[in-house]
Amino acid sequence: MSNSISPNPPVHTQSIEDLKKEFDTDLQRGLTSEDVTKRLEKYGMNELIAGETITPIKMFLLQFKDFIVFLLLGAALVSIIFQDWIEALIIILIVMLNAIMGFVQEYRAEAALEKLKELTGDDTLVIRDGVETRIDTRELVPGDILLMYEGETIAADARVFEASRLRIDEGLLTGESVPVDKIYKPLMDVKLPIADRKNIVYMGTTTVKGRGKALITGTGMNTEMGEIAKSTSETTEQATPLQMQLSKLGKILGGLVVIVVFFVLIAQILQAEESFLIMLDNALARRDEELIHIVEAALALAVSAVPEGLAAAITLTFAIGVQRMVKKNAIIRKLPAVETLGSVEVICTDKTGTLTQNKMTVQKLWTLDLGYVDVTGTGYLPKGNFISINNNVKINIKEHKDAYQLLKAASLCNTAAINYEKREWKCEGDPTEGALIVAAMKSMNLNRWEESYDLKDQGEIFFDSDRKRMSMVFSRKKPNIEETWAFMKGSPGIVLDLCTHVLFGEKKVPLTDEFRQQIIDNNSQLASKAFRVLGIAQKKLPNDIVEFTEESVETEMTFIGLIAMIDPPRLEVEEAIRKCKDAGIRIIMITGDQLDTALAIAKALDLKPYEDTFYLAHTSAELEAMDNEEFIEVLKDLDVCARASPSIKRRIVETLQNQFGLVVAMTGDGVNDAPALKKADIGIAMGITGTDVAREASDMVLMDDNFATIVSAVEEGRNIYANMKKFIRYLLSSNFDEILVVFTATVILGLPSPYLVLSILWINLLTDGLPALALSVDPGDPNIMKKKPRGKQSNMFNEILIFSLVAGIISFFGTMIFFLSFGGDFNGENLKIARTLALTVSVIFELFQVFVSKAPDDKSVWRSNPFNNLYLIGAVIMAFILHLFIVYVETLANIFELSPITFNQWVLIFIVVIIGIIILDAVKILQSKITNPVY
């Protein structure tokens, strides 16, 4: 069901008379009650409708769908069978903790659509039956006449047909930082982007100034906000590379467990003296404990194959990463985002407030006599110097009448204010006007002017998008004299056309063609560098003037000069961009600003890689007009997208992901950004300027809205991934040797198992516990941002698998050497000694091997610093001491069926282990050179 009539051609191109007929309404009296009833039945209520929703219970149960979770729950069940209550409890707590955290993240993410519904007010002012009345916002229908006043939230999409200084804040929809002046005339370009449809108002935007009337053309889901709601609900979030790899690991381990347990079980049954059927019959009758022990051993081996410590280590790593990022002004809303950040290959970033300071700053003045003057300082801090470009020296503005008068006039023809609040200078009002005041404050005391200049009653001739200028009339009080002065600012070309004279130094001289051309040329030069340029003029008026109109004030003005301003780049962004280049991360600027402005900032920040100098920039309209093939070709080298629409943002993200296989981070602050934020691998919302909708759709929120914070988060993500790789590599390699040893001894050689059930669980406890957790807090690599991103195609487990297999084989040989050498006839005391040495070799090798896993791929363990992680040192020492307890404390040794180890045996153990570590370290470095992995 459609919620509105959809006229063709587009609404913004049609005359209001045509729309009046199309929507069958009366512009003065509005709809009748009978009309409204019929249209509500036909088009439905004016509300955003959620797509298919999922209940909280189902959302929670879905957290247990991963295969590795099933393995962990199976391991917990086996532990319960063995009455190992502590291990079972730990595994269950880990699984429940992960499920709860995943549920909370998904539940909060689904709140994005609910936030969209809160953007419209509860009631709206309309004309119905010829009467102004407030109605429930949900009851608006196409054809209603909407009344707009300052502070009102627009509740539907509508075509403006009456506007008086009407200014709408559309930032949350379009990303524009400056409110838009609305007009009522038709706009003939059918392909105008949303931000340029100045005769349309949109649901969820706010009236910040003036008043107006509009004819409602779209309600509910058939509004721009409805399209965003639909797009947000339809967007599916991408699984992170690690999530996909862990899922694959779970299936591999599951298959391995089933195969190994089956063969070990069969092998041990065949070794038994009784026939299988007799043993099974006795076991079922609870009379034969031998089969029960065989099953227990096989299941214990299955438990050993499942790295229980993996989930705990990942959770701990994520939690620590989140805390570190909070200290760097980044709030992680979804834990997997911590890891995904480390694989980011493209950052699609907004310009205003992220790359720039979001504080318009005057940087240049120009007058006919003085020429160019550079203004130093940034933001709203009223400190800076004036540097004459002619001789590159600092000047005193008060000594140059034209420049002094330029700043004076700009600060007087102004409605903004600069105040010092909470240890920070802030602008109240329009940022452009604030910039003019700050520039004047750098050179003079404005309070004196406020005392000597009084704004005349009705002395403001307002700015609008048609006039492109504003004027203010003041009475100036001098001793025994009162003068009336008008000051104007606006588009330089418009202001110049209203001038007949120009200020040259202290003199007012005729505006000749030569002077006029100089002004035009210098304005063009400044505009080409993406400066926002204003022309300033003044005029002395008769004191007896009583009515201030365009005709009486804005004629025969005296042109003073040009003021150029820009939203300057953040100081720390340059270093952040350099880090991105070194790290092989591509940056694409996607902004709502004009193309020239965006391109100039991109060049100033040097966004391109070091070897490139050509910048490719397009507007959203240009990109949307391209077919898919052309779009893909352009996106290969695109640097800047200006006047960006919600649809093009999402299309850019999807194409980078699907066509190029890249991991994409997208920044955003408005409602229009929500679909792209949700679609991106990492959605990054602004904490200061961002809307609730954007924050709810994101994976990460920047508390300072700073691009440099994104880069810091990426660096942290890379280090977190590196640590995860270390402990996953360690955990898997620690489990392979147990499987190989038991499988070889029992299945191939037909010998008793080198490990008893308790021994297998003991190895698991020591290696899957503290050492693995300690690896998760390993200090970061200072050179991590000088390596290329790993991307989606890299597979951590392909790299880890070789290492883990080699480590398992080395440990297997060391263990079997001792087991076979000291086993004798594999009965009685000989078997006990052999099992003690086999267990100890496995434990000691894994405690040494943790340092090989800790060292970077391309760095030898002997050249890395093992003491920069005291947690790991402590964990290894504690594990070694605990193992000594079960070997030498008689009560514990009897429980584990172990014998004391002699000094000579210890020497042999350490010799074999160290040889094994040397071989493993060499293999790791060789693998690094062959495969050249990213990390």
Side-chain angles (χ1 to χ4, degrees):
M1 179 179 65
S2 174
N3 281 19
S4 75
I5 302 169
S6 300
N8 192 16
V11 172
H12 68 272
T13 65
Q14 296 194 67
S15 70
I16 199 64
E17 286 301 319
D18 289 341
L19 289 171
K20 174 185 171 183
K21 294 175 184 177
E22 184 78 34
F23 286 91
D24 190 19
T25 189
D26 188 312
L27 298 182
Q28 303 305 317
R29 296 186 55 80
L31 297 174
T32 65
S33 300
E34 185 179 348
D35 290 334
V36 171
T37 301
K38 291 179 180 178
R39 297 189 189 200
L40 280 172
E41 290 177 359
K42 184 177 181 180
Y43 303 121
M45 303 293 282
N46 177 39
E47 56 188 2
L48 300 180
I49 302 170
E52 183 181 352
T53 57
I54 183 171
T55 64
I57 293 175
K58 185 177 179 181
M59 190 181 294
F60 180 73
L61 293 177
L62 286 174
Q63 306 305 315
F64 297 92
K65 68 180 180 181
D66 288 342
F67 197 84
I68 202 162
V69 172
F70 290 138
L71 286 180
L72 290 171
L73 291 175
L77 180 61
V78 172
S79 298
I80 291 172
I81 293 172
F82 294 156
Q83 297 185 4
D84 189 349
W85 306 112
I86 294 177
E87 172 135 341
L89 180 62
I90 289 172
I91 294 173
I92 291 171
L93 285 175
I94 289 170
V95 171
M96 290 302 296
L97 178 62
N98 287 337
I100 291 170
M101 293 175 74
F103 168 76
V104 170
Q105 294 155 20
E106 288 189 23
Y107 186 80
R108 290 174 64 184
E110 291 306 314
L113 188 57
E114 296 302 316
K115 290 293 182 182
L116 278 168
K117 297 178 182 179
E118 299 172 8
L119 289 173
T120 57
D122 296 330
D123 53 43
T124 300
L125 191 61
V126 296
I127 299 176
R128 282 187 179 174
D129 296 314
V131 179
E132 292 188 10
T133 181
R134 282 201 173 272
I135 64 167
D136 188 328
T137 294
R138 296 178 305 157
E139 296 177 1
L140 286 173
V141 293
D144 260 324
I145 303 303
L146 180 69
L147 300 178
M148 297 169 287
Y149 293 97
E150 190 169 323
E152 292 276 343
T153 299
I154 309 298
D157 288 4
R159 166 72 156 81
V160 178
F161 65 85
E162 189 175 298
S164 176
R165 294 184 286 121
L166 181 62
R167 184 172 289 183
I168 306 292
D169 181 0
E170 297 179 346
L172 60 77
L173 181 64
T174 64
E176 285 278 12
S177 56
V178 179
V180 180
D181 292 290
K182 291 297 178 180
I183 61 175
Y184 57 84
K185 297 177 182 177
L187 301 167
M188 303 319 295
D189 185 352
V190 296
K191 295 183 179 181
L192 274 180
I194 292 172
D196 292 334
R197 298 174 195 170
K198 295 187 177 181
N199 57 6
I200 304 290
V201 292
Y202 299 100
M203 174 190 280
T205 59
T206 306
T207 307
V208 296
K209 195 172 185 179
R211 57 184 173 79
K213 294 180 182 179
L215 189 159
I216 291 180
T217 58
T219 58
M221 295 300 287
N222 211 345
T223 60
E224 289 297 332
M225 201 67 71
E227 288 297 316
I228 291 170
K230 191 187 303 180
S231 181
T232 301
S233 63
E234 291 173 353
T235 301
T236 56
E237 296 183 11
Q238 306 293 306
T240 71
L242 183 65
Q243 286 174 322
M244 293 186 286
Q245 291 171 23
L246 284 176
S247 177
K248 184 177 180 181
L249 172 66
K251 293 173 184 176
I252 292 172
L253 287 177
L256 184 64
V257 165
V258 171
I259 293 170
V260 170
V261 168
F262 174 77
F263 280 106
V264 170
L265 193 60
I266 295 300
Q268 294 204 355
I269 288 173
L270 292 176
Q271 290 178 39
E273 295 179 0
E274 299 178 86
S275 72
F276 171 69
L277 292 177
I278 295 174
M279 288 180 62
L280 181 61
D281 180 63
N282 289 338
L284 293 174
R286 296 175 181 254
R287 293 194 303 272
D288 193 331
E289 294 185 1
E290 185 174 358
L291 181 59
I292 294 174
H293 287 313
I294 290 172
V295 173
E296 284 182 345
L299 291 176
L301 187 62
V303 172
S304 76
V306 180
E308 297 97 321
L310 182 59
I314 289 175
T315 301
L316 178 62
T317 304
F318 281 162
I320 291 171
V322 167
Q323 292 304 312
R324 286 177 180 170
M325 289 186 186
V326 166
K327 294 178 181 178
K328 296 179 179 180
N329 293 320
I331 298 174
I332 300 296
R333 294 188 60 256
K334 302 173 185 177
L335 285 185
V338 176
E339 177 265 333
T340 311
L341 275 165
S343 57
V344 165
E345 295 168 281
V346 182
I347 300 176
C348 297
T349 178
D350 189 16
K351 176 186 73 69
T352 306
T354 308
L355 294 172
T356 65
Q357 298 182 27
N358 197 21
K359 294 177 180 178
M360 292 299 290
T361 304
V362 172
Q363 291 192 342
K364 289 187 183 293
L365 311 176
W366 180 88
T367 64
L368 197 58
D369 182 36
L370 188 58
Y372 282 108
V373 175
D374 282 338
V375 185
T376 65
T378 58
Y380 297 130
L381 178 66
K383 290 185 178 179
N385 297 315
F386 297 86
I387 311 295
S388 172
I389 293 183
N390 291 334
N391 47 21
N392 198 31
V393 296
K394 179 180 173 182
I395 62 172
N396 184 348
I397 286 293
K398 293 180 181 180
E399 296 176 359
H400 300 270
K401 177 69 175 178
D402 48 358
Y404 181 83
Q405 193 65 20
L406 179 67
L407 292 174
K408 179 180 176 181
S411 63
L412 285 170
C413 186
N414 205 305
T415 59
I418 300 296
N419 300 313
Y420 189 71
E421 298 176 2
K422 298 180 180 179
R423 306 177 69 179
E424 183 180 4
W425 289 93
K426 296 182 179 180
C427 173
E428 291 184 14
D430 188 282
T432 299
E433 294 193 319
L436 297 174
I437 292 178
V438 171
M441 291 172 70
K442 292 175 181 179
S443 64
M444 56 197 79
N445 184 351
L446 300 190
N447 291 327
R448 283 183 12 203
W449 295 355
E450 292 168 3
E451 293 168 4
S452 58
Y453 284 87
D454 293 322
L455 181 64
K456 288 278 193 178
D457 188 31
Q458 302 297 316
E460 181 176 357
I461 306 176
F462 296 99
F463 175 92
D464 65 41
S465 55
D466 288 330
R467 286 170 31 81
K468 296 184 180 179
R469 65 186 185 275
M470 71 173 289
S471 299
M472 299 180 76
V473 181
F474 294 84
S475 62
R476 183 186 182 190
K477 297 176 181 177
K478 290 183 177 182
N480 304 319
I481 300 176
E482 183 171 337
E483 298 175 341
T484 302
W485 283 89
F487 300 102
M488 175 195 290
K489 72 171 186 291
S491 170
I494 299 293
V495 172
L496 188 60
D497 287 343
L498 299 172
C499 294
T500 56
H501 292 75
V502 63
L503 197 64
F504 192 92
E506 298 184 11
K507 298 177 181 179
K508 172 184 170 183
V509 299
L511 181 59
T512 64
D513 290 342
E514 182 183 353
F515 287 160
R516 181 182 296 273
Q517 192 59 48
Q518 283 189 50
I519 295 169
I520 292 171
D521 290 345
N522 283 283
N523 173 52
S524 299
Q525 185 177 340
L526 290 168
S528 68
K529 297 177 180 177
F531 283 108
R532 185 172 188 179
V533 187
L534 292 177
I536 310 295
Q538 65 182 19
K539 178 182 181 180
K540 187 176 181 180
L541 298 172
N543 287 337
D544 58 357
I545 188 171
V546 293
E547 187 175 1
F548 307 110
T549 64
E550 294 182 22
E551 292 75 17
S552 64
V553 174
E554 297 179 337
T555 57
E556 299 182 349
M557 304 284 288
T558 299
F559 192 87
I560 307 174
L562 301 171
I563 298 181
M565 64 190 73
I566 201 167
D567 180 11
R570 287 178 177 267
L571 298 178
E572 60 274 28
V573 163
E574 185 177 346
E575 172 64 16
I577 289 173
R578 185 193 61 76
K579 276 190 174 183
C580 283
K581 291 180 180 181
D582 291 342
I585 298 172
R586 177 184 172 190
I587 302 170
I588 302 176
M589 182 192 294
I590 303 178
T591 176
D593 272 342
Q594 299 290 342
L595 184 63
D596 290 344
T597 303
L599 186 56
I601 292 294
K603 289 179 179 178
L605 291 171
D606 196 18
L607 291 187
K608 294 285 286 184
Y610 294 120
E611 64 275 11
D612 293 341
T613 56
F614 174 74
Y615 283 79
L616 182 61
H618 284 283
T619 64
S620 179
E622 291 169 347
L623 292 174
E624 286 173 340
M626 298 177 184
D627 59 34
N628 199 47
E629 186 176 338
E630 185 182 3
F631 182 80
I632 292 171
E633 190 64 29
V634 166
L635 195 54
K636 288 180 181 179
D637 301 302
L638 185 68
D639 301 299
V640 176
C641 173
R643 312 301 283 167
S645 66
S647 59
I648 203 64
K649 290 181 179 181
R650 180 174 172 177
R651 187 180 177 189
I652 287 173
V653 171
E654 287 182 335
T655 305
L656 288 171
Q657 290 173 330
N658 300 335
Q659 295 296 324
F660 300 103
L662 299 173
V663 179
V664 183
M666 165 68 80
T667 71
D669 54 8
V671 174
N672 63 322
D673 296 320
L677 288 174
K678 197 171 180 183
K679 180 64 181 173
D681 298 283
I682 290 290
I684 304 170
M686 304 298 114
I688 298 174
T689 60
T691 61
D692 286 342
V693 177
R695 285 192 284 266
E696 291 293 342
S698 69
D699 304 286
M700 182 173 82
V701 178
L702 303 182
M703 291 188 286
D704 57 0
D705 293 8
N706 195 338
F707 180 83
T709 302
I710 301 174
V711 180
S712 295
V714 170
E715 182 173 3
E716 188 65 42
R718 287 190 172 196
N719 279 316
I720 286 169
Y721 180 85
N723 284 351
M724 291 172 71
K725 183 176 177 181
K726 291 173 185 177
F727 65 68
I728 292 173
R729 175 166 61 191
Y730 173 65
L731 286 171
L732 292 185
S733 61
S734 298
N735 292 347
F736 271 125
D737 66 330
E738 299 159 42
I739 296 171
L740 287 171
V741 167
V742 174
F743 186 84
T744 302
T746 59
V747 177
I748 297 176
L749 300 179
L751 298 174
S753 173
Y755 305 127
L756 296 175
V757 171
L758 278 179
S759 298
I760 293 174
L761 296 177
W762 178 250
I763 295 173
N764 243 26
L765 175 65
L766 288 188
T767 59
D768 282 14
L770 294 178
L773 292 178
L775 278 178
S776 68
V777 296
D778 214 39
D781 179 359
N783 296 316
I784 202 83
M785 289 298 281
K786 293 184 178 178
K787 302 175 181 179
K788 302 304 178 186
R790 65 181 187 275
K792 289 180 180 177
Q793 305 307 318
S794 71
N795 192 323
M796 176 197 294
F797 297 108
N798 287 344
E799 301 168 23
I800 288 174
L801 185 61
I802 296 175
F803 177 90
S804 300
L805 284 173
V806 171
I809 291 170
I810 292 172
S811 180
F812 157 75
F813 277 112
T815 301
M816 291 303 293
I817 286 171
F818 279 87
F819 184 69
L820 295 175
S821 299
F822 291 88
D825 58 0
F826 296 102
N827 283 307
E829 189 63 26
N830 286 338
L831 180 59
K832 193 174 182 181
I833 292 172
R835 281 175 168 167
T836 302
L837 294 174
L839 172 64
T840 302
V841 169
S842 290
V843 169
I844 300 302
F845 179 81
E846 290 175 12
L847 293 182
F848 271 65
Q849 191 264 110
V850 71
F851 293 102
V852 182
S853 295
K854 176 185 183 301
D857 291 343
D858 55 355
K859 195 171 184 180
S860 170
V861 65
W862 313 109
R863 294 187 176 182
S864 62
N865 178 13
F867 299 103
N868 64 353
N869 186 344
L870 296 180
Y871 295 108
L872 181 59
I873 298 294
V876 169
I877 292 173
M878 182 177 294
F880 182 69
I881 292 173
L882 288 174
H883 187 70
L884 291 180
F885 275 137
I886 70 164
V887 172
Y888 291 108
V889 175
E890 186 175 354
T891 304
L892 295 175
N894 290 335
I895 293 173
F896 282 86
E897 299 184 34
L898 301 177
S899 294
I901 300 174
T902 66
F903 177 79
N904 289 338
Q905 289 170 342
W906 274 116
V907 171
L908 289 174
I909 288 171
F910 278 104
I911 289 173
V912 169
V913 166
I914 290 173
I915 291 173
I917 293 299
I918 292 172
I919 296 171
L920 180 62
D921 187 55
V923 169
K924 185 195 72 170
I925 294 175
L926 180 63
Q927 181 192 359
S928 173
K929 290 180 179 179
I930 293 173
T931 61
N932 192 27
V934 177
Y935 300 141

